[in-house]
Amino acid sequence: QKEVEQDPGPLSVPEGAIVSLNCTYSNSAFQYFMWYRQYSRKGPELLMYTYSSGNKEDGRFTAQVDKSSKYISLFIRDSQPSDSATYLCAMSETGNQFYFGTGTSLTVIP
Amino acid sequence: NAGVTQTPKFQVLKTGQSMTLQCAQDMNHEYMSWYRQDPGMGLRLIHYSVGAGITDQGEVPNGYNVSRSTTEDFPLRLLSAAPSQTSVYFCAARGGFSGANVLTFGAGSRLTVL
């Protein structure tokens, strides 16, 4: 069983839609949770960071962590064509070893 | 402030050749790491270092060597390249977000082994 599971998609939505991206994990000791955005042929860039459980909002992006269900989500409101990218979830127990999902490919259609 | 810099961006090797992927950071972060990214596999940790002189293995260390003589540099060595090592390699340093445990990545090095 993989440490982190993520639906690879691809996901295609119209501009302005709300996008929901999700990951599940097996290690209950994970306490650092991140979402990265990766454009084609570029390095991943940090989008959201959450420590332990709860919600975090930054502009159009909201990250949620439900440790009881071992489930994390990223919501994108009012999606834009510039949001078209691959979204990677990542998590870590101690900050030394990070485990990534396989990524979800998102296309926002104008 | 360049962050994490990787060289080369592209490289083609023949089976059995050796090479070194370079990684440098100017953020003064103690922790650095190497990942490989393959379709359907996501990012997988190869090796990491928590400071100069200290390295440890990640999930897929076989076929790769690392050393850390300075805080700034963390090179990844392939001693005898194999086609299975064809991949995109990313170097990452931990920090850069108010000290939080997050990774800052380089732009990647695309390696093809024939």
Side-chain angles (χ1 to χ4, degrees), chain A residues 2 32-34 36 38 41-46 48-49 56 88 92 94-103, chain B residues 10 31 35 37 40-43 45 48 50 57-59 90 94 97 100-108 110:
Chain A
K2 285 185 179 178
Y32 305 103
F33 303 92
M34 291 134 278
Y36 285 84
Q38 186 176 23
R41 296 183 173 263
K42 301 289 186 185
E45 55 178 344
L46 181 69
M48 299 289 284
Y49 165 75
K56 188 167 188 178
L88 306 165
S92 179
T94 64
N96 279 345
Q97 297 214 30
F98 291 76
Y99 296 89
F100 285 79
T102 51
Chain B
F10 302 94
Y31 177 101
Y35 287 82
Q37 187 174 38
M41 302 295 290
L43 284 157
L45 180 64
Y48 67 97
V50 297
Q57 295 181 350
E59 183 182 356
F90 289 99
R94 186 184 67 198
F97 189 81
N101 279 324
V102 297
L103 296 173
T104 299
F105 285 88
R110 189 172 296 268

Side-chain angles (χ1 to χ4, degrees), chain B residues 15-98:
Chain B
T15 297
Q17 286 185 319
S18 63
M19 79 155 301
T20 299
L21 298 177
Q22 301 290 346
C23 177
Q25 55 108 354
D26 61 2
M27 301 177 290
N28 204 32
H29 292 323
E30 292 294 330
Y31 177 101
M32 296 183 73
S33 55
W34 277 101
Y35 287 82
R36 60 179 289 174
Q37 187 174 38
D38 302 292
M41 302 295 290
L43 284 157
R44 293 180 293 168
L45 180 64
I46 303 171
H47 285 286
Y48 67 97
S49 169
V50 297
I54 306 169
T55 62
D56 206 346
Q57 295 181 350
E59 183 182 356
V60 289
N62 292 340
Y64 306 96
N65 281 350
V66 292
S67 60
R68 184 93 179 272
S69 56
T70 67
T71 299
E72 294 77 20
D73 300 298
F74 190 43
L76 179 71
R77 297 182 186 84
L78 286 72
L79 296 180
S80 179
S84 61
Q85 294 178 304
T86 293
S87 187
V88 182
Y89 292 85
F90 289 99
C91 180
R94 186 184 67 198
F97 189 81
S98 300

Side-chain angles (χ1 to χ4, degrees), chain A residues 8-91:
Chain A
L11 193 58
S12 185
V13 301
E15 183 175 353
I18 296 173
V19 176
S20 172
L21 305 168
N22 311 293
C23 288
T24 59
Y25 61 94
S26 57
N27 186 350
S28 58
F30 285 151
Q31 54 181 339
Y32 305 103
F33 303 92
M34 291 134 278
W35 285 95
Y36 285 84
R37 178 175 59 195
Q38 186 176 23
Y39 292 113
S40 181
R41 296 183 173 263
K42 301 289 186 185
E45 55 178 344
L46 181 69
L47 204 55
M48 299 289 284
Y49 165 75
T50 308
Y51 171 69
S52 192
S53 278
N55 296 354
K56 188 167 188 178
E57 187 173 322
D58 184 3
R60 297 184 295 111
F61 299 91
T62 299
Q64 291 184 348
V65 174
D66 182 350
K67 291 191 74 177
S68 62
S69 301
K70 297 182 193 157
Y71 187 89
I72 70 170
S73 301
L74 177 71
F75 297 95
I76 307 174
R77 291 183 300 279
D78 187 25
S79 55
Q80 302 295 309
S82 58
D83 295 328
S84 297
T86 296
Y87 290 80
L88 306 165
C89 63
M91 42 202 84

